[in-house]
Amino acid sequence: MESIIGKHWHHLPTEEVVDLLGTQSDKGLDLFEIQSRQEHFGPNLLSQKKGRSPIVRFLLQFHQPLVYILMAAGIVTGFVAEWVDASVILGVVLVNALIGFVQESKAVRAIEALARSMTTEATVLRSGEIQKVSSSELVPGDIVLLQSGDKVPADMRLFSTKELRVDESVLTGESLPVTKSVDTLGHDTVLAERRNMSYASTLVTYGQDRGAVVATGNHTEMGRISELIAEVQSVETPLTRRIEAFSRVLMVAILLLAAATFAAGFLHGGPPIEIFMAAVALTVGSIPEGLPAAVTIILAVGVSRMARRRAIIRRLPTVETLGSTTVICSDKTGTLTENQMTVREIVAGPAKYLVSGSGYDPSGALEPADDTAPSAPSEALMECLRAGLLCNDSRLILNEDRWGIQGDPTEGALIVSARKYGFDEAREAQLHPRIDVIPFESEYQYMATLHESPAGAPPMVYLKGSVESILARCRDTLDADGHLAPLDLERVRHRVDEMSGRGMRVLAFARKAWSHTGEPLTHDGVAEGLTFLGLQGMIDPPRREAMTAVRACQEAGITVKMITGDHALTAVSIAGDIGILGNRSHLPAQSNVRTGQEMAQMNDATLTEVAARTHVFARVTPEQKLRLVKALQSRREVVAMTGDGVNDAPALKQADIGVAMGITGTEVSKEAADMVLTDDNFASIEAAVEEGRCVFDNLVKFIVWALPTNLGQGLVILTAVFAGITLPILPVQSLWINMTTAGSLGLMLAFEPRESGIMRRPPRHPRSPLLSRELVGRVLLAGLLLMASAFGLFEWEELNGASHAQARTVAVNAFAVISTLYLLNCRSLNRSFWSIGIFSNPWILLGIVMMMLLQLAFTYLPFMNRLFHTEPIGLQSWMGIIAAGFVSLWAVGLEKFLARRFSSRIGTIQEEMEGPSEAG
C-alpha cells in the first residue's frame, strides 16, 4: 500500500491509476477492503503535531532579559522589606507573561482550522452502491462522485467529467474556476495546471465528475501545507530583537555599576550593611521598572488606533514591526484585485468600447474608445451584449449592499457589462425565452442556447466561447447598423492579441437563426454558418485603493512585490496597472516576472538574487512562496506577506508580519497571520504602516525620557559612595520616582499623535540600534543634568541646615520636576515642543497635574513622610527645584536646536556634492 503514496497521478492513464489503487471504477471498494485501508492509512484528517504544554509555554514567557531585570528589581525590593513595591513589580511581570501566553500558539490554531476546513460529507461508490459518508472515512481507492457546490473531500484523479469546473483559488491563487478534463498530462506539469486532478478543500462550481481518491489526510496537498505551517518557526520581530539587545546591555551596565558601588564603599572602609544598601539603591534606581508596562501600553494604544483604521492585530509586537517593514509581498487575487471578473473592453462591428466601473457592481457605462464607433446605439454592440446575457447560467445578486454572483465569475462579468448598457435580465428572458441549451464542454470550448424571438421571427441561437472555436463556425459579421458584412479574421485576431497582451481573458460571441423548428439544439446544427457578433475582454481588476496604497508604500521606501498562483501575463498586467513595476513597466513582460517552474530550477543563492530584483512571481506553489519570503529575509529585509488563501498560510507565518484578509480570507490564513484586515483593503496596510511608525516613535520617546531618570539616580548614588557622603536618595525613594514618573508622565507619550512627514522617511534598518548616537548623547546630557541638579540641591540644603530627610525630599522633587519638564522636550525627537503644540496631546497635561499632586502628597502628607522618610520643605527650596528644572529644559532644547542645524548643514553639503556629479 505504501507504494501508492506520492505518485505522479496526473501523469498516469486512468486505467493504470485504477489498477495501482486496486479498485474498480464501476463498483468501488468493498467493505472489508475499506476497513483494512482505514486501519492502514488512518482517518482522512490532518494530524496535529504535539507542541509544548501550556505550562511550558507560560514559563517561557519569563525567559527574556527585560523580565530578568524586573524580577531582580522585585527581589531586591523585597530585601529592603518594601513588600508593597515588590508586589507591584512582580505583578507587572505576571501580567506581561499572561498577555504573551494568550497570544501564543498560532501554528497550532492554524492547523486546527485547516483540519476543520477539510471536514465535509462525500458521495462515494462502494460495493456498487452510491452512499454518503463523512469525508474523514475516505481511503485511497474510493470512487467519489462530485457535483456543483461540493467541496472536494480528498485529492482525486479524475476519470469521468461532465463540464466540471473547480475553484482552486484557496490552493493555487488562480482567480478563475478551472475546467477539468481526464487527459493524461506531462510529468512536470505544475500543480495549478493539473487539469485531471481535484484537490482537497477546493470547491466545485459547475458540472459533475467521478474520480478515484489518491491521497488522504497528511498526504494530500492540503496536508503538505499543514506540515509547512508546523515546520515554520515564528520570526522574532524587530522590536523584540531591539528590546532584548537593549535589555542585555542595560542589565550588564546595572550589575557593573552595582559592583563598582560596592567596591568603592568597601575601599572607603564603610560598614558592609550600608555599602550593601547603597548598591541596592543604585540597582533599584537604575532599573526602568515601567519599561515593560510602557511597551505593552504603547503597543496596545497602537492596536486600538489600527482597529479604528480596519486592521485587527493578533500579536502586540506586530504593531511596531509594520513600521520597520521594508518589503511587502502581496498575493494578487482578492488582495490587490477585486476578485470579481470585470469586462474592460468590447469589440463589436468596426468599433471598440471601453467599460467603466469595477467588480460586480453594475454602475458604470460603455464609452467609444475612438471615433470609429457610431453615434447612435450600435446593433452589433447590442447583439454582442445580448448574447453574453442570454447564453448564461449565472445570476447577479445584491446581498447586504454588496454585489455578488451565483455561478461562474466569467458569466457574472457578462451580466454586469450588459446591465451597464441598460439591459435587464428579466425583460430579456421574457422577450427571448430559452428553448434549449448545449452546456459548455472542454472538447468544444463553447456554450450555446436557443431562444424564441419576438414578433414571430425565427428562433435564434447564441454562442459564447473561446475565440478559436467561435471563429471557426462563423462566415460573416455585423456592421454598426446590424447589416451582414464580410468577416475579417486577421483584424479580429489582431484585436484579440491586443487584449490578451494586456492580461485580459477574451470571449467571442456569435448567433444564428435556427431554421430547424421543433428540433433540439445540436453541435452539428451550430458547426457552421454563424454570424460573428464581437469580443468581450475581461480581467480581475485592481483595487483603486491598492494603486494609491502601493504608491504611498513606495514613497515610504517600501518595496511591493506580487506573488501569485495566477498566469504570468495576467500578473504582469495587473502589476503594471497598480504601479508595482515602477519604471520597469515599459519592459517586455518576460523581464518583469519569474514563474514557479523557473524558481524550481534555482538554488537558494540564485533565488535570493532573483527575489531582490524581481517584482512579480507567477504560478507559484506554497513551498515557493515560503522560499521567497525566506530568501528576502536572508537579505535582512523585514517582510510583510499578505494573502487570503490556504496556500498563503505557510508564508504568512514565516513572514515578519503576516496580513490576512478578513472578508474573503480563509480561516487558515487568518489563524496563521499576525494582522487581519477587516475590509480586505490593501490600502489599510498603508494606514497600519503609518501607525506602526508612530508606535515606534512613541516607544523611543518613552525610552529617551525614562533612561535619564534611572541614569541620574545611579550617578547620584555612585557619586555619593565614591565621595564617602550620605546617600541623597534611599532605595524606597528611587522606587517612588521610577513608578510615579513612569505611570503619570511617561505613559502619556503612548497617546502622542503622529508627526507630519512620518511616511516620507525610509524604513528603519532592521539591525539599527534602538537609540541613535544623537539620542544616546541626549540621554547622557539629561542624566547628567538630573544628577547635578539633585546632588547639588541636596548638598545645598544640608549646608543651609536642613535635615537629611528634608534634603532628600528636595532631591526627589528635583527628579520629579526636571523629569516633568524634560517630558515636553521628548514629545518630538528633533523638533521643539513649541512647534508641535502644547495642547496637541491633552494627556500630557493631565499627567503633569497628576505628578504634581503626587509630589505634594509625597512631601506634605504625614503618612507619606513616615512611609518614604521625607519631611515638608519650604518655598525657597521649591524655587531652587523649579529653577533647576527650567535650566534643564532650555539646555536640552538648545541641544536639539544644534542637532537640527548640524543635520541640516550635513544635508546641504551632501546635495552640493551630488549636484556636480549628476551634472557631469
Side-chain angles (χ1 to χ4, degrees):
M1 273 299 162
E2 295 298 332
S3 62
I4 71 172
I5 295 175
K7 284 192 174 293
H8 294 276
W9 299 104
H10 61 278
H11 183 54
L12 302 176
T14 54
E15 298 81 7
E16 189 175 345
V17 170
V18 170
D19 186 53
L20 283 170
L21 291 170
T23 187
Q24 299 179 60
S25 60
D26 58 342
K27 291 184 178 180
L29 300 171
D30 61 42
L31 180 61
F32 297 108
E33 183 63 23
I34 291 167
Q35 290 176 342
S36 172
R37 296 191 184 194
Q38 285 176 341
E39 291 175 4
H40 182 83
F41 291 103
N44 180 31
L45 297 170
L46 299 180
S47 59
Q48 299 183 21
K49 303 286 190 295
K50 186 176 180 181
R52 296 189 180 106
S53 69
I55 293 176
V56 172
R57 292 204 310 270
F58 178 71
L59 292 176
L60 284 174
Q61 304 304 316
F62 298 93
H63 183 54
Q64 302 174 39
L66 198 60
V67 175
Y68 293 151
I69 294 175
L70 271 183
M71 291 171 68
I75 293 169
V76 170
T77 308
F79 267 116
V80 298
E82 296 296 335
W83 304 113
V84 174
D85 297 303
S87 299
V88 170
I89 295 169
L90 294 175
V92 170
V93 174
L94 183 61
V95 169
N96 284 335
L98 287 171
I99 291 172
F101 176 70
V102 169
Q103 298 292 336
E104 281 270 327
S105 306
K106 290 191 303 174
V108 174
R109 292 196 298 272
I111 293 172
E112 288 174 353
L114 196 55
R116 288 194 301 270
S117 75
M118 286 189 65
T119 304
T120 184
E121 274 197 335
T123 304
V124 297
L125 181 65
R126 289 178 171 177
S127 300
E129 295 183 359
I130 295 176
Q131 51 189 283
K132 283 189 176 292
V133 300
S134 169
S135 64
S136 62
E137 299 175 14
L138 293 180
V139 295
D142 258 326
I143 304 301
V144 175
L145 284 68
L146 296 175
Q147 62 182 359
S148 180
D150 286 348
K151 181 183 283 188
V152 180
D155 287 3
M156 298 168 51
R157 172 63 161 90
L158 310 178
F159 53 73
S160 174
T161 67
K162 186 176 181 182
E163 315 313 320
L164 185 69
R165 282 175 247 168
V166 181
D167 180 356
E168 296 182 340
S169 59
V170 297
L171 185 65
T172 66
E174 173 70 67
S175 56
L176 290 172
V178 178
T179 301
K180 296 296 184 177
S181 69
V182 299
D183 301 333
T184 303
L185 301 173
H187 183 275
D188 295 328
T189 305
V190 297
L191 180 71
E193 295 176 0
R194 294 176 186 172
R195 299 291 191 253
N196 58 11
M197 300 286 295
S198 286
Y199 294 102
S201 288
T202 58
L203 184 67
V204 178
T205 62
Y206 189 83
Q208 297 176 343
D209 157 71
R210 180 177 295 195
V213 173
V214 297
T216 58
N218 289 345
H219 299 296
T220 63
E221 290 297 324
M222 297 294 279
R224 290 195 312 106
I225 292 177
S226 171
E227 291 179 359
L228 286 174
I229 296 172
E231 290 169 3
V232 171
Q233 300 296 316
S234 295
V235 179
E236 279 191 328
T237 68
L239 176 64
T240 307
R241 290 193 291 263
R242 287 185 176 100
I243 290 290
E244 285 194 2
F246 174 72
S247 301
R248 290 191 195 99
V249 172
L250 193 60
M251 184 166 58
V252 171
I254 290 171
L255 293 176
L256 288 175
L257 284 173
T261 302
F262 191 86
F266 185 78
L267 291 174
H268 277 85
I273 294 297
E274 289 186 14
I275 298 171
F276 175 74
M277 290 305 296
V280 167
L282 184 140
T283 303
V284 172
S286 301
I287 292 175
E289 290 91 350
L291 183 55
V295 170
T296 301
I297 290 171
I298 290 172
L299 293 177
V301 170
V303 167
S304 177
R305 287 176 172 174
M306 285 187 179
R308 290 195 293 269
R309 302 181 77 173
R310 304 185 183 279
I312 304 299
I313 300 299
R314 301 182 67 246
R315 293 177 59 225
L316 283 180
T318 298
V319 182
E320 185 277 332
T321 310
L322 275 163
S324 306
T325 301
T326 59
V327 177
I328 297 176
C329 295
S330 177
D331 185 40
K332 177 185 73 68
T333 306
T335 307
L336 291 168
T337 66
E338 299 277 3
N339 199 15
Q340 297 182 346
M341 294 300 291
T342 304
V343 174
R344 282 285 188 230
E345 292 183 13
I346 299 174
V347 174
K352 173 181 171 183
Y353 301 86
L354 302 180
V355 185
S356 62
S358 185
Y360 296 139
D361 187 342
S363 57
L366 278 65
E367 300 290 343
D370 49 45
D371 56 8
T372 61
S375 55
S378 166
E379 181 68 21
L381 174 61
M382 293 182 68
E383 279 297 284
C384 181
L385 292 170
R386 179 174 285 118
L389 186 63
L390 295 176
C391 192
N392 198 309
D393 286 328
S394 298
R395 290 178 57 217
L396 182 66
I397 57 173
L398 180 62
N399 186 16
E400 296 182 354
D401 297 325
R402 183 180 175 87
W403 289 96
I405 285 293
Q406 281 186 350
D408 186 84
T410 300
E411 292 189 335
L414 299 176
I415 296 173
V416 174
S417 67
R419 277 246 195 141
K420 290 176 180 177
Y421 199 65
F423 279 90
D424 178 82
E425 300 99 297
R427 176 170 171 75
E428 289 298 315
Q430 186 178 10
L431 291 173
H432 307 274
R434 182 183 290 189
I435 302 171
D436 202 358
V437 61
I438 298 177
F440 179 89
E441 296 179 29
S442 55
E443 178 183 353
Y444 293 97
Q445 292 292 307
Y446 69 82
M447 174 182 178
T449 54
L450 176 62
H451 298 267
E452 292 181 11
S453 297
M460 187 70 70
V461 181
Y462 288 103
L463 275 77
K464 78 167 188 288
S466 69
V467 175
E468 295 79 9
S469 65
I470 298 298
L471 286 180
R473 290 165 169 78
C474 294
R475 67 181 179 193
D476 51 32
T477 186
L478 291 182
D479 62 17
D481 298 323
H483 300 133
L484 295 179
L487 176 61
D488 187 344
L489 292 176
E490 287 303 315
R491 179 178 169 277
V492 173
R493 291 192 177 107
H494 177 70
R495 291 282 199 184
V496 171
D497 290 342
E498 282 184 342
M499 296 163 81
S500 299
R502 291 193 294 276
M504 294 186 193
R505 183 187 185 194
V506 184
L507 292 182
F509 301 86
R511 75 178 189 186
K512 179 181 182 180
W514 188 249
S515 58
H516 309 290
T517 307
E519 295 183 16
L521 192 59
T522 62
H523 288 294
D524 289 340
V526 294
E528 60 182 5
L530 274 70
T531 298
F532 179 73
L533 299 176
L535 307 168
Q536 293 195 47
M538 62 190 68
I539 197 167
D540 181 10
R543 295 175 179 268
R544 291 179 184 174
E545 320 88 81
M547 300 180 192
T548 305
V550 166
R551 185 165 58 250
C553 288
Q554 290 169 339
E555 289 173 356
I558 301 169
T559 302
V560 181
K561 297 179 184 290
M562 179 191 290
I563 303 178
T564 179
D566 217 334
H567 293 281
L569 195 61
T570 303
V572 170
S573 175
I574 294 293
D577 289 344
I578 288 177
I580 288 177
L581 299 179
N583 57 11
R584 293 176 55 87
S585 58
H586 66 283
L587 298 176
Q590 294 80 358
S591 64
N592 283 323
V593 64
R594 287 286 182 270
T595 65
Q597 202 162 13
E598 292 172 319
M599 289 167 55
Q601 311 302 320
M602 301 177 188
N603 57 32
D604 289 344
T606 304
L607 180 62
T608 300
E609 293 180 10
V610 170
R613 65 173 183 263
T614 305
H615 287 74
V616 181
F617 298 87
R619 280 309 201 214
V620 178
T621 66
E623 294 96 332
Q624 289 167 340
K625 287 188 178 186
L626 192 58
R627 281 187 72 200
L628 277 169
V629 172
K630 288 180 176 179
L632 291 166
Q633 288 173 332
S634 71
R635 298 177 63 89
R636 298 191 171 180
E637 303 281 6
V638 178
V639 182
M641 169 75 188
T642 75
D644 58 0
V646 173
N647 59 321
D648 298 319
L652 286 174
K653 184 161 180 269
Q654 172 65 39
D656 296 275
I657 172 168
V659 184
M661 302 296 116
I663 298 174
T664 59
T666 60
E667 193 63 28
V668 182
S669 65
K670 294 175 192 175
E671 291 290 338
D674 302 288
M675 182 174 83
V676 179
L677 303 182
T678 61
D679 59 354
D680 284 16
N681 193 337
F682 186 87
S684 297
I685 297 175
E686 179 206 348
V689 169
E690 191 174 20
E691 291 295 345
R693 292 187 173 192
C694 177
V695 163
F696 185 80
D697 276 3
N698 290 348
L699 187 59
V700 171
K701 290 172 186 177
F702 175 85
I703 293 172
V704 170
W705 171 83
L707 286 186
T709 303
N710 302 110
L711 176 63
Q713 291 176 74
L715 290 175
V716 164
I717 295 167
L718 196 62
T719 303
V721 170
F722 271 88
I725 59 177
T726 305
L727 290 179
I729 298 174
L730 298 176
V732 69
Q733 293 169 345
S734 288
L735 278 173
W736 169 264
I737 293 170
N738 290 347
M739 300 305 287
T740 56
T741 55
S744 59
L745 296 177
L747 291 182
M748 301 307 161
L749 290 170
F751 304 98
E752 198 65 32
R754 296 181 301 276
E755 294 189 43
S756 59
I758 198 169
M759 286 298 285
R760 291 194 291 273
R761 307 179 199 161
R764 294 184 309 280
H765 192 279
R767 301 294 173 181
S768 63
L770 201 57
L771 301 181
S772 65
R773 289 183 181 179
E774 178 187 328
L775 295 180
V776 170
R778 188 173 303 161
V779 167
L780 292 174
L781 172 63
L784 290 170
L785 288 169
L786 276 164
M787 183 273 291
S789 300
F791 197 85
L793 288 170
F794 175 82
E795 288 296 312
W796 177 260
E797 290 292 324
E798 289 212 321
L799 287 174
N800 283 279
S803 65
H804 286 330
Q806 285 179 316
R808 284 172 175 150
T809 304
V810 169
V812 172
N813 276 301
F815 268 93
V817 170
I818 294 172
S819 294
T820 299
L821 294 174
Y822 177 55
L823 179 72
L824 299 177
N825 264 320
C826 290
R827 291 189 58 201
S828 175
L829 297 175
N830 46 38
R831 298 163 60 195
S832 71
F833 69 88
W834 295 107
S835 65
I836 60 176
I838 298 294
F839 301 103
S840 58
N841 182 3
W843 291 97
I844 291 287
L845 302 178
L846 176 63
I848 291 173
V849 171
M850 287 173 55
M851 188 68 213
M852 292 302 100
L853 291 175
L854 285 170
Q855 285 308 117
L856 290 173
F858 174 84
T859 304
Y860 295 109
L861 291 181
F863 82 92
M864 297 287 278
N865 296 153
R866 289 192 299 273
L867 189 62
F868 291 102
H869 313 291
T870 59
E871 289 182 8
I873 58 176
L875 180 60
Q876 188 175 358
S877 297
W878 279 111
M879 291 177 64
I881 292 168
I882 293 171
F886 276 100
V887 168
S888 299
L889 174 71
W890 296 117
V892 174
L894 178 62
E895 181 271 334
K896 289 172 69 176
F897 172 75
L898 294 174
R900 286 197 304 274
R901 290 289 298 271
F902 179 74
S903 298
S904 176
R905 181 58 183 155
I906 291 295
T908 302
I909 293 173
Q910 289 176 340
E911 289 177 5
E912 291 174 352
M913 292 178 64
E914 290 171 0
S917 62
E918 289 175 0

